[in-house]
Amino acid sequence: MQSSQASKTSEATHMVHHQPFLQTGSYSSSPFQVLNSNVCADNSSQGAQVLQARNGQFFTLESLPANDSVTNDSPSAVSISSSRSPFSSQCSQSHMSDVHHSSDNTYGSPLSGSSGVDDGSELRNVLRELESKLMDESDIDDISSCSVNNVVPQLHFSTRGSQLVQMAHNLDLKQLLLASAEAVSNADVFTAEGLMNVLEQRVSVSGEPIQRLSAYMLEGLRARLLSSGSIIYKKLKCNEPTGPELMSYMHVLYHICPYYKFAYMSANVVIGEAMENENRIHLIDFCIAQGSQWVSFIQALAHRPGGPPYIRVTGVDDSQSVHARGGGLDLVGQRLSKVAASYGVPFEFNGAAISGYEVQLENLRVQHGEALAVNFPYMLHHMPDESVNTMNHRDRLLRLVKSLSPKVVTLVEQESNTNTAPFFPRFCETLDYYTAMFESIDAARPRDDKQRISAEEHCVARDIVNIIACEGADRVERHELFGKWRLRLAMAGFIQRPLNFSVGNAIRDMLKDYSPNYRLVDRDGALYLGWKNRALATCSAWR
């Protein structure tokens, strides 16, 4: 790379990394999608804070009992890790020589469309271990001979529910969660309620990462057990935070976790390099939020030799974002216009206040003679695909973007497999994924930190509950692995654009401010950001 290009990339990187979070409305789009609040059919049900049970009791996250005793939660007891992790030694020695490896790295990282639960063998081993405590050898042999088609076998907890509930106090939290989920999957209400009553006494929103995660997964299991069909999730009674409160929660996560900065920085470096010699640039951001990502981008282009280019930004964001932002997209336009004016950058803003699946060509106002860049930051997984709707908005939107002949498209997504997976494998994938995420959050803030508790509750918990409790169109958290995204983009006519070393270097420089347990791997033409051995997000570029 030429020295002038390296200098500009370094300057842009510095601006992105050190750009302050705008206090008056700088909400950045979350990888956990707080802004997508159309979680289920009942639009008033958007959190995981109060759930009414059949007996009239209310379970609240705030009132869940804390338990100071440390449970023996052995990660190895329920590991669903895959040997195909991009963070495994055989995959990443050339990339990971400077990373501190940990002996407790048990997270799986499925690749190329393979699931974190693979063929279910690891899960079957876990559940058979639990079942063996209740059965003799002949019973275990009967279960081993069950026919399975990538689905965990039914363990008939209903016939042994009382025994399992009696033994529940001897199980660790992950075993309890798995057993409860299996009982819910089998519609074994007696066993499920018994196990969840035990689970409830051991979770805590201010405890260890697994205790906090268990609190939210328990809410999801209760919601699923107490609801069915179209009324799923409607029993969750939520108190929405106000706009300023919500932005403060996001402000906390923005600084203690690198997931937002990973999305911002990687996309900005890719787009900046692709647009290096363009005089008219059109940026289409399909999750504009507060527009904070483009502040540093505008600042970097202001210093381009020969003068800044003309920049036009089209921001797509549904009406639900008004709540967090405190106003419509015109606020984003005004904010970015002021930044551009202060740096002498010609600028224009176009707001499209609609959901991504509603976007049509006329909403984007593409003009002849401009170089087009399209940004998909943690949002495509909300688009319903062929498994939800015959319209298949996920692929329709990709084909629409491809028809615009963009110079570059950036995609950042969570590396998880929850789209078409059946309930129980999906539950296990969610447990594996968010165990890593909660541990990464735990490394940055004290466990009794009230801001962290609120941030997890309002910015992460609702997604967990949605994945567990909802089905059909009500389930909007539908993540796919990078391998599946690669297939979708290829079918839409895209060609993957290799990432320059400057992108990875920018992210590695940013990660120096975080725990050494964060890892970055360059594989399959994409960047994988992970915690220990579990990949959590990917970034890729297309044209």
Side-chain angles (χ1 to χ4, degrees):
M1 188 169 62
Q2 296 179 352
S3 59
S4 60
Q5 182 178 352
S7 175
K8 283 180 286 185
T9 301
S10 174
E11 182 179 21
T13 299
H14 176 83
M15 288 185 175
V16 173
H17 186 30
H18 297 284
Q19 176 65 30
F21 202 86
L22 303 181
Q23 297 294 333
T24 59
S26 60
Y27 173 77
S28 63
S29 178
S30 163
F32 323 113
Q33 290 303 322
V34 174
L35 292 185
N36 266 289
S37 53
N38 56 332
V39 177
C40 283
D42 181 0
N43 286 333
S44 65
S45 311
Q46 300 179 18
Q49 287 153 337
V50 183
L51 175 66
Q52 186 173 12
R54 289 175 178 171
N55 60 7
Q57 272 188 293
F58 282 84
F59 302 93
T60 68
L61 293 179
E62 289 81 0
S63 62
L64 289 174
N67 189 344
D68 293 332
S69 61
V70 178
T71 57
N72 182 23
D73 298 317
S74 171
S76 61
V78 291
S79 173
I80 57 175
S81 54
S82 165
S83 61
R84 288 169 284 188
S85 167
F87 299 101
S88 61
S89 57
Q90 67 267 30
C91 298
S92 57
Q93 286 179 348
S94 62
H95 304 285
M96 305 298 295
S97 58
D98 60 338
V99 175
H100 301 289
H101 290 268
S102 171
S103 60
D104 62 348
N105 291 338
T106 60
Y107 307 112
S109 179
L111 289 177
S112 304
S114 61
S115 169
V117 296
D118 283 332
D119 61 356
S121 58
E122 290 289 344
L123 301 177
R124 288 197 297 274
N125 290 337
V126 171
L127 292 169
R128 284 178 59 194
E129 180 181 345
L130 294 178
E131 189 76 355
S132 67
K133 299 178 181 179
L134 306 175
M135 299 161 37
D136 56 27
E137 290 298 327
S138 62
D139 288 330
I140 295 176
D141 291 339
D142 288 340
I143 284 183
S144 348
S145 64
C146 290
S147 173
V148 293
N149 294 313
N150 294 329
V151 177
V152 178
Q154 302 297 310
L155 298 187
H156 307 296
F157 282 153
S158 57
T159 62
R160 301 177 178 85
S162 60
Q163 289 178 288
L164 184 58
V165 172
Q166 289 174 6
M167 293 184 58
H169 292 283
N170 296 324
L171 303 179
D172 63 41
L173 278 175
K174 288 188 177 181
Q175 290 173 326
L176 266 175
L177 284 169
L178 288 172
S180 299
E182 178 70 6
V184 170
S185 179
N186 292 340
D188 185 350
V189 177
F190 171 81
T191 303
E193 289 185 342
L195 291 171
M196 289 192 291
N197 286 338
V198 176
L199 189 59
E200 183 184 358
Q201 302 305 313
R202 295 169 60 180
V203 302
S204 170
V205 294
S206 61
E208 298 177 352
I210 185 59
Q211 289 177 299
R212 306 199 305 266
L213 174 59
S214 296
Y216 304 123
M217 298 194 80
L218 172 61
E219 293 295 314
L221 287 173
R222 289 198 185 280
R224 188 178 185 91
L225 183 65
L226 299 174
S227 306
S228 62
S230 63
I231 65 169
I232 246 178
Y233 203 73
K234 289 184 179 180
K235 289 184 179 292
L236 288 174
K237 308 298 181 181
C238 312
N239 295 316
E240 280 295 304
T242 64
E245 287 175 340
L246 184 57
M247 285 188 288
S248 70
Y249 303 148
M250 299 309 303
H251 181 69
V252 171
L253 287 182
Y254 178 84
H255 284 288
I256 69 177
C257 300
Y259 308 118
Y260 307 136
K261 292 179 182 178
F262 173 70
Y264 279 14
M265 188 178 298
S266 57
N268 281 14
V269 175
V270 168
I271 295 173
E273 291 180 350
M275 300 295 177
E276 183 178 10
N277 298 313
E278 300 294 341
N279 294 321
R280 292 185 64 87
I281 299 173
H282 185 183
L283 306 171
I284 299 179
D285 189 344
F286 273 91
C287 195
I288 189 72
Q290 297 296 323
S292 302
Q293 176 173 353
W294 307 115
V295 171
S296 56
F297 188 81
I298 292 170
Q299 291 171 341
L301 290 184
H303 301 285
R304 175 189 285 186
Y310 182 91
I311 300 176
R312 196 155 64 92
V313 173
T314 292
V316 180
D317 219 359
D318 61 46
S319 58
Q320 298 294 334
S321 301
V322 174
H323 173 75
R325 195 165 33 233
L329 284 173
D330 57 312
L331 294 179
V332 178
Q334 294 169 14
R335 194 171 295 126
L336 292 179
S337 295
K338 289 179 180 179
V339 172
S342 67
Y343 283 90
V345 177
F347 180 82
E348 180 184 345
F349 182 81
N350 168 42
I354 54 177
S355 297
Y357 68 85
E358 298 176 304
V359 169
Q360 301 295 331
L361 177 60
E362 56 268 24
N363 302 124
L364 303 178
R365 301 183 185 178
V366 177
Q367 298 177 2
H368 180 71
E370 59 187 13
L372 183 63
V374 178
N375 186 41
F376 287 117
Y378 297 118
M379 66 77 56
L380 269 182
H381 70 271
H382 287 107
M383 298 297 99
D385 69 348
E386 66 278 359
S387 68
V388 181
N389 191 304
T390 55
M391 293 293 292
N392 191 1
H393 292 289
R394 188 171 295 195
D395 290 346
R396 180 194 67 82
L397 185 59
L398 288 174
R399 290 194 298 270
L400 172 62
V401 169
K402 179 57 181 175
S403 72
L404 303 177
S405 300
K407 189 164 186 179
V408 65
V409 174
T410 52
L411 174 69
V412 180
E413 276 293 345
Q414 290 165 263
E415 181 69 357
S416 184
N417 183 24
T418 64
N419 184 19
T420 58
F423 166 67
F424 188 72
R426 185 169 79 238
F427 181 92
C428 295
E429 172 77 345
T430 303
L431 174 60
D432 186 56
Y433 184 91
Y434 283 99
T435 294
M437 179 151 305
F438 272 67
E439 285 192 3
S440 71
I441 296 174
D442 189 69
R445 282 290 180 100
R447 289 176 180 169
D448 59 352
D449 186 282
K450 292 182 179 180
Q451 286 186 319
R452 180 203 53 74
I453 294 173
S454 294
E456 287 178 347
E457 179 181 342
H458 293 291
C459 304
V460 186
R462 74 178 63 190
D463 292 0
I464 294 172
V465 173
N466 182 253
I467 294 171
I468 295 172
C470 296
E471 296 295 348
D474 291 342
R475 182 157 59 86
V476 299
E477 298 299 327
R478 292 179 168 272
H479 309 106
E480 292 186 320
L481 303 170
F482 176 68
K484 186 63 179 289
W485 288 118
R486 184 167 53 187
L487 289 175
R488 285 193 186 276
L489 284 147
M491 287 189 294
F494 288 96
I495 298 174
Q496 191 169 357
R497 183 185 181 116
L499 297 177
N500 290 335
F501 288 112
S502 55
V503 184
N505 290 340
I507 302 300
R508 290 185 179 90
D509 184 62
M510 178 265 289
L511 289 176
K512 292 177 182 178
D513 293 337
Y514 295 90
S515 167
N517 283 322
Y518 285 106
R519 301 182 179 185
L520 189 71
V521 169
D522 185 347
R523 189 180 181 192
D524 302 323
L527 284 178
Y528 289 77
L529 174 64
W531 174 261
K532 298 182 179 178
N533 276 356
R534 170 75 207 212
L536 296 178
T538 60
C539 171
S540 56
W542 305 82
R543 64 174 184 269

